[in-house]
Amino acid sequence: MKKKIAIAMGGYSSEYHISINSGNMVYKHLNREIYDPYRVHILQNGWSVIDENDNPYPINKNDFTVKIGEKTISFDCVFNTIHGTPGENGLLQAYLELVGIPQTTCGYYQAALTFNKRDLISVLKAYGIKAATNYFLNKEDRIDSEEIIDRVGLPCFVKANRAGSSFGITKVKKEEDLIPATKTAFREDNEVIIESFLDGTEVSVGVITWKGKVRALPVTEIISENEFFDYEAKYLGKSQEITPANISEEKTKKVQEIAKLIYKKLKMKGFTRSEFIFHKGEPHFIEMNTTPGLSQASILPQQAQAANINLTELYGSAIEAALK
């Protein structure tokens, strides 16, 4: 019997259309001899299965089943490709655990932790993971620009704490630009993280569970045409993504080992992609994505292909790991 796989895509964040691209790529490449895939749009206006003619069939949220014609379909596994809420912050994971359906990403606790940049950095410090100097703000806090700059310096980055890395982020070079930058970030979340600028080579490290073992993929070097790896750089071709990265073998192994350490210590599963900057020769952790982009142009699939893992094998491996 083929396994019925719901490919969850969309979400409630500003990146929902990027998630749709990822989900469609998984749908295209899953092995039809093993799996029977269904596209499932998880959107604010409803959850539904979308057929080949783009007809929607509502999902029953009581048990995550769908009725198509006279047949009620139950799913063996959910392939989660949602960026942002509810697929990357733990809400979907917790729901699926309650209804008893395996899913391909990390558990609800790990998802909530890694989606919160402030809390994740705090946890990783205990394992000796280096990061930028940080300053945290809640929406109701008084903003003391002088105090912030004394702590993190200029330039600095102002980011939404619980959002993807593409929206609500500003590189601030002058003190007068700090408060407008916080307003931009607060449009995405009611918590903000402000980070010191790290000067150095930016790299991305994918980690997967492959044939039962944690494996770091070839490292990607990111060279943005913009000030940083923002939405345009990430999705509109305004960056170079070089795999394998133009860094020494020693640096490659070091950052791969750190990425694997984080994966293991946090008890992750599925795919993760962690970002680092080599600042003064040492890798400094920036963030972790637990539902990284999976379109053909996305970084993690590029890394898998550099490791001689094709997309059908890559996507199938996540399902098999989830079903164990």
Side-chain angles (χ1 to χ4, degrees):
M1 283 282 287
K2 292 182 186 179
K3 299 289 186 183
K4 290 182 170 58
I5 310 300
I7 304 168
M9 60 186 88
Y12 308 160
S13 79
S14 305
E15 294 183 84
Y16 76 93
H17 56 292
I18 305 299
S19 169
I20 297 286
N21 291 342
S22 290
N24 285 335
M25 186 61 63
V26 174
Y27 179 77
K28 176 182 175 183
H29 284 278
L30 277 187
N31 187 340
R32 297 302 196 274
E33 292 181 7
I34 304 173
Y35 309 115
D36 192 6
Y38 293 79
R39 294 181 299 160
V40 178
H41 285 192
I42 306 287
L43 302 172
Q44 285 181 313
N45 61 0
W47 297 11
S48 56
V49 168
I50 306 298
D51 70 11
E52 293 290 342
N53 299 313
D54 290 331
N55 297 311
Y57 297 88
I59 290 279
N60 181 347
K61 292 183 184 178
N62 291 323
D63 56 7
F64 204 72
T65 59
V66 62
K67 189 172 183 181
I68 299 177
E70 297 301 312
K71 190 176 181 182
T72 298
I73 296 166
S74 299
F75 298 104
D76 296 295
C77 182
V78 173
F79 198 118
N80 180 9
T81 68
I82 294 172
H83 313 313
T85 187
E88 198 170 7
N89 61 355
L91 297 180
L92 184 64
Q93 289 89 334
Y95 162 79
L96 290 170
E97 185 163 322
L98 286 173
V99 297
I101 301 175
Q103 55 86 35
T104 56
T105 58
C106 61
Y108 64 87
Y109 168 74
Q110 286 85 354
L113 173 66
T114 53
F115 198 68
N116 188 311
K117 299 179 182 73
R118 177 193 65 195
D119 291 357
L120 177 58
I121 288 166
S122 299
V123 168
L124 293 182
K125 275 186 179 177
Y127 299 108
I129 308 297
K130 294 181 172 65
T133 302
N134 300 298
Y135 190 102
F136 307 115
L137 284 172
N138 296 317
K139 200 159 194 175
E140 65 275 11
D141 290 347
R142 184 180 69 86
I143 299 174
D144 186 332
S145 298
E146 188 175 331
E147 181 181 296
I148 293 168
I149 291 167
D150 279 348
R151 179 165 175 79
V152 302
L154 287 173
C156 63
F157 285 100
V158 178
K159 304 176 180 180
N161 186 46
R162 296 168 299 183
S165 57
S166 303
F167 294 93
I169 178 169
T170 306
K171 184 177 182 181
V172 174
K173 299 176 181 178
K174 299 179 291 185
E175 183 176 346
E176 56 265 35
D177 295 334
L178 186 64
I179 289 177
T182 63
K183 290 178 179 176
T184 298
F186 279 131
R187 284 200 290 268
E188 295 290 328
D189 185 28
N190 60 15
E191 296 176 1
V192 161
I193 180 170
I194 303 172
E195 296 179 335
S196 62
F197 173 67
L198 298 175
D199 188 23
T201 302
E202 183 170 355
V203 298
S204 184
V205 188
V207 179
I208 64 176
T209 298
W210 179 253
K211 298 181 179 178
K213 294 184 178 179
V214 175
R215 177 175 177 179
L217 295 172
V219 177
T220 298
E221 181 179 353
I222 297 166
I223 304 172
S224 177
E225 293 176 20
N226 295 346
E227 285 277 0
F228 55 93
F229 195 47
D230 60 2
Y231 181 87
E232 284 189 338
K234 188 178 289 187
Y235 298 123
L236 302 180
K238 297 275 186 174
S239 68
Q240 292 181 59
E241 296 160 7
I242 302 165
T243 309
N246 288 322
I247 57 175
S248 68
E249 186 177 343
E250 181 186 356
K251 284 185 173 180
T252 296
K253 286 182 177 176
K254 186 168 190 175
V255 78
Q256 285 177 322
E257 287 304 312
I258 292 172
K260 286 199 297 182
L261 173 72
I262 294 169
Y263 189 101
K264 291 175 180 177
K265 292 296 185 184
L266 297 183
K267 299 180 173 64
M268 302 301 296
K269 64 186 185 73
F271 305 151
T272 69
R273 201 190 73 232
S274 296
E275 320 299 334
F276 298 85
I277 290 178
F278 277 93
H279 180 63
K280 297 181 179 178
E282 289 292 320
H284 286 59
F285 177 81
I286 305 299
E287 65 178 3
M288 174 186 271
N289 297 282
T290 58
T291 58
L294 295 176
S295 69
Q296 199 133 19
S298 298
I299 292 173
L300 191 136
Q302 289 180 39
Q303 294 175 343
Q305 289 175 314
N308 295 315
I309 300 170
N310 67 44
L311 295 184
T312 296
E313 293 171 326
L314 178 68
Y315 302 150
S317 71
I319 295 170
E320 295 309 308
L323 290 173
K324 284 184 179 175

